[in-house]
Amino acid sequence: MAVRAFDSIIIGAGPAGEGAAMKLAKAGQRVAVVEAHNQVGGGCTHWGTIPSKALRHSIQMLADYRRNPLFHHTVDQAEVEFPDLLRAADSVIDHQVRTRYRYYQRNRVEVVFGRARFVDAQRIDLVRPDGASESLRANHFVIATGSRPYHPPDVDFGHHRVLDSDSILGLQHTPRTMTIYGAGVIGCEYASIMSYLDIKVNLVDTRDRLLSFLDDEITDALSYHLREQGVVIRHDEAYEAVEAADDGVVLHCKSGKKLKTDVLLWANGRSGNTEDMGLEAIGLTPNRRGQLEVNDSYQTDLPHIYAVGDVAGPPALASASYDQGRFVGAHIADGQCDWSLVEEFPTGIYSVPEISSVGRNERQLTADQVPYEVAQAHFKAIARAQITGHTVGMLKILFHRETLEILGIHCFGEQASEIIHIGQAIMRQPPPANTIQYFAETTFNYPTMAEAYRVAALNGLNRLF
């Protein structure tokens, strides 16, 4: 079998793989991207971020329609089923895939479809969809194979009533009741989405509060609004068994609780896609969650083989994964990287309403004994929110009492994931440019949601004495 040679080979065409491929191609390398799926984009485009956020947007539009007094006389005529909402994501996925293809073609990156397996530390064999085999060699490899929902061995995911965050996107009916096991980001997002379809949702949390990495006030608000939508939240629970039958599925908890619903959505963890890649043969052993250990430059124990994105572990965000790929591309091309990844990246949670945050929260600042003050703007007082009807939420800025340096920004409400970036831009500036005074002295378009920064800044500065 002839062996084709490249400078670098990227395994996986999701955000991390794409970031690495583009950076290496710009550096003049001959690059190949190997993708096991029949289209580029990875799990982000086909099973995760894009379809779930398109679904969330469709449901938000439906909720706005039902709430708008202009359409109250037609609300009874709007019968929308879950599959109808899913179809709205199809065109977005198609556009994303075609856009990604153009990027690869424009930068002369060869995309090879097939499953890759390491033969030795410099060569992979891959099996194409038609069964044909091919062998590729490279000086450097980037493993960017992403992740999939974690499946405990004692849960029957072959049963049509037991779903994960991938298979739920193939659901062909609207269930009346649902239990979601796992109250992390995915669990909370789907709990809020499904509740807006009038589905009775049990959200089972294995911890004592939702999303404990966020600011307590924000998670308290999320809990309140989920309960307002009819979601029943069960904290500090662990599953004993899952019993699936023709008439429903029962989640047996170790506490003795039994929750029977039409379907169960398992949203408790993810596993890296590293199986059957021949990694053990070249001395790389994934951990129990299928992830590879890497150093600060995302190198594995073999320095010429890198791992980025979900397969390298937290934060497992599409945005961070793309940046990791670009970082690795620069490291391979130049032997080093003259820029570093930001440690304080924004977190976006696409519940209804949205949540986004960057920097430290009150709990962390208190533990670190940092003298901070709180600046707040409630959306109900913002003209743009009143116009759009999205008055639920708030912007919260934590800043140093003495230096006025912004230490953390937390937002709950519609467009939170967009609003956060305004504060992030100032927060990233070196002293003395990072100051809450900037927002108090800046003129914002009116009416906008961005105006919340001015309102919050004035609120916070008025607290100082």
Side-chain angles (χ1 to χ4, degrees), residues 361-363 365-366 370-374 398-401 407:
N361 58 43
E362 288 199 64
R363 192 183 337 108
L365 291 172
T366 299
V370 176
Y372 72 92
E373 191 50 87
V374 180
L398 307 178
F399 65 100
H400 198 286
R401 286 187 58 90
L407 306 170

Side-chain angles (χ1 to χ4, degrees), residues 296-309:
D296 291 342
S297 298
Y298 297 93
Q299 292 169 297
T300 66
D301 290 340
L302 299 176
H304 71 290
I305 299 179
Y306 296 72
V308 288

Side-chain angles (χ1 to χ4, degrees), residues 15 43-55 317-318 350:
C44 168
T45 298
H46 296 281
W47 312 285
T49 303
I50 297 302
S52 65
K53 277 50 177 182
L55 173 65
L317 298 172
Y350 295 84

